[in-house]
Amino acid sequence: MDNFLNEYLSPGTRVLVTGGGGFIGGCLVRRLLTKSNAQVFNLDKCGYASDFTSIEEIDYGHRHHLFRVDLVDGDSTTAAIKKADPDLVFHLAAETHVDRSIDGPNAFVFSNVIGTYNLLEGVRTHWQSLPKQRKELFRFHHISTDEVFGSLGDSGSFTELTRYAPRSPYAATKASSDHLVSAWHHTFGLPIVLTNCSNNFGPWQFPEKLIPLVITKAMTGQSIPLYGDGSNVRDWLFVEDHVDALLLAAIKGRLGQSYCIGGFGERSNKQVVELLCELMDERQPELAPHTDLIKLVSDRPGHDHRYSIDSVCIQEELGWKPQHTFELGLASTLDWYLAHIPWCEKVLNRAGYAGERIGA
Ligand code: TDX
């Protein structure tokens, strides 16, 4: 991957990442800064889940340019695109937490739908004004989720051909953004690639999603909320493997194509939580068994039963496969959180979130 990046991103290539203060965006920014000589323009609204500690920690030789911009503001977005003058755009900025979209769908419609529209319009104007050679190489990569496909029963997997059937406000706004991106390709010829990933996990994830939330609860001996009966299944993808896939798809993917990226890590929530408890027992035996902390709580409204991704297309076409097993990725993620308790406290305090139940 490292040689690959240097081969395709010549020094000075201008890469615009929206949402580079987020969990997946941050991982992508770090990779671009450490494994290529690209100039990285990070457009982030610096919302509750944005944090730049991981980027500030690395020596990036002044190639990281942070623009505090909310994509909902069309004029600021256009101005930032002009300044960044990008050759490649990764669009990750979004509101992403399903539970928050139940309590407050408004922010999701604005950020994910209007924000994507403003970005597309700004990028289209920029792309059309580029000189021939840069215009031919230009790409816009939209990062989306498997939730746009809805909920699976106990068998089958999502593929690039699966019909859209979003069921949460969050998923509906991401589906809308996918459709906008696809329309800008078909109507205006904007050179796009789109990816739909499964649930990511790894270091630096804001502790509101299942895995970091359970870890922070278990570390402090608080009860661990398991929605419904814990039988819902997710397909877990280690964030660094996801970033490998994003870079391959952006650089080598076919224009107009979407690629599904899954982790080969299907587990029920109960299995995930119990495994985390086992790992905690080894690291914090005085509080064992941590499974005593698990508490079944009322289910999420409209809770999707199962997500599963068939990654054959990206594997066969682009040669991607995940490098981390779920178990090893989970253990290293847990150890990372145990070593970064002050960071967890800092981001939770700043966001005014103490791990309470939302979206019930
Ligand atoms: O406290 C909890 N207890 C619990 O049982 C939380 C926060 C979650 N859950 C369950 C709900 C889900 O079945 O765990 C599962 C995972 O929940 P989340 O981490 O909230 O993720 P999910 O709802 O699956 O959505 C995720 O997948 C696709 C991400 O939040 C999205 O951003 C991504 O696009």
Side-chain angles (χ1 to χ4, degrees), residues 96 145 147 170 199 209-210 213 225 227 234 269 300 303:
T96 66
T145 167
E147 297 209 23
Y170 160 68
N199 288 59
K209 305 284 173 77
L210 179 70
L213 182 107
Y227 297 173
R234 298 295 183 260
N269 294 337
R300 170 187 281 171
H303 197 174

Side-chain angles (χ1 to χ4, degrees), residues 194-228:
L194 198 160
T195 49
N196 297 93
C197 67
S198 57
N199 288 59
N200 280 228
F201 71 104
W204 305 106
Q205 187 172 28
F206 184 76
E208 64 181 349
K209 305 284 173 77
L210 179 70
I211 287 176
L213 182 107
V214 169
I215 295 173
T216 48
K217 296 275 184 196
M219 277 180 337
T220 47
Q222 295 179 60
S223 86
I224 297 170
L226 192 53
Y227 297 173

Side-chain angles (χ1 to χ4, degrees), residues 5-14 36-39 63 87:
L5 261 193
N6 270 324
E7 188 185 333
Y8 284 91
L9 298 184
S10 53
T13 302
R14 303 172 74 87
S36 83
N37 285 306
Q39 293 289 328
R63 287 182 294 106
D87 301 293

Side-chain angles (χ1 to χ4, degrees), residues 59-209:
D59 178 13
Y60 47 78
H62 305 292
R63 287 182 294 106
H64 177 245
H65 313 271
L66 175 62
F67 297 160
R68 184 179 184 151
V69 171
D70 186 342
L71 298 180
V72 171
D73 178 344
D75 291 341
S76 306
T77 301
T78 306
I81 294 167
K82 225 175 175 174
K83 262 198 227 159
D85 185 21
D87 301 293
L88 174 61
V89 177
F90 290 93
H91 178 33
L92 297 101
E95 291 293 333
T96 66
H97 191 33
V98 174
D99 292 334
R100 286 182 194 265
S101 83
I102 296 167
D103 284 346
N106 186 281
F108 287 72
V109 173
F110 277 96
S111 283
N112 300 357
V113 185
I114 308 296
T116 299
Y117 163 74
N118 285 336
L119 181 69
L120 281 168
E121 278 298 79
V123 164
R124 178 163 76 98
T125 306
H126 163 72
W127 167 68
Q128 282 169 337
S129 72
L130 286 173
K132 190 166 180 288
Q133 204 194 356
R134 282 186 72 198
K135 191 174 179 192
E136 274 168 12
L137 293 173
F138 183 86
R139 289 205 166 188
F140 179 94
H141 181 167
H142 178 58
I143 286 80
S144 190
T145 167
D146 57 2
E147 297 209 23
V148 298
F149 302 125
S151 179
L152 289 166
D154 289 332
S155 61
S157 296
F158 302 131
T159 74
E160 290 73 12
L161 300 177
T162 303
R163 191 172 68 88
Y164 275 56
R167 291 164 25 109
S168 72
Y170 160 68
T173 59
K174 284 301 283 188
S176 306
S177 68
D178 289 13
H179 293 318
L180 288 173
V181 170
S182 174
W184 260 240
H185 172 65
H186 290 291
T187 305
F188 304 115
L190 189 70
I192 67 108
V193 175
L194 198 160
T195 49
N196 297 93
C197 67
S198 57
N199 288 59
N200 280 228
F201 71 104
W204 305 106
Q205 187 172 28
F206 184 76
E208 64 181 349
K209 305 284 173 77

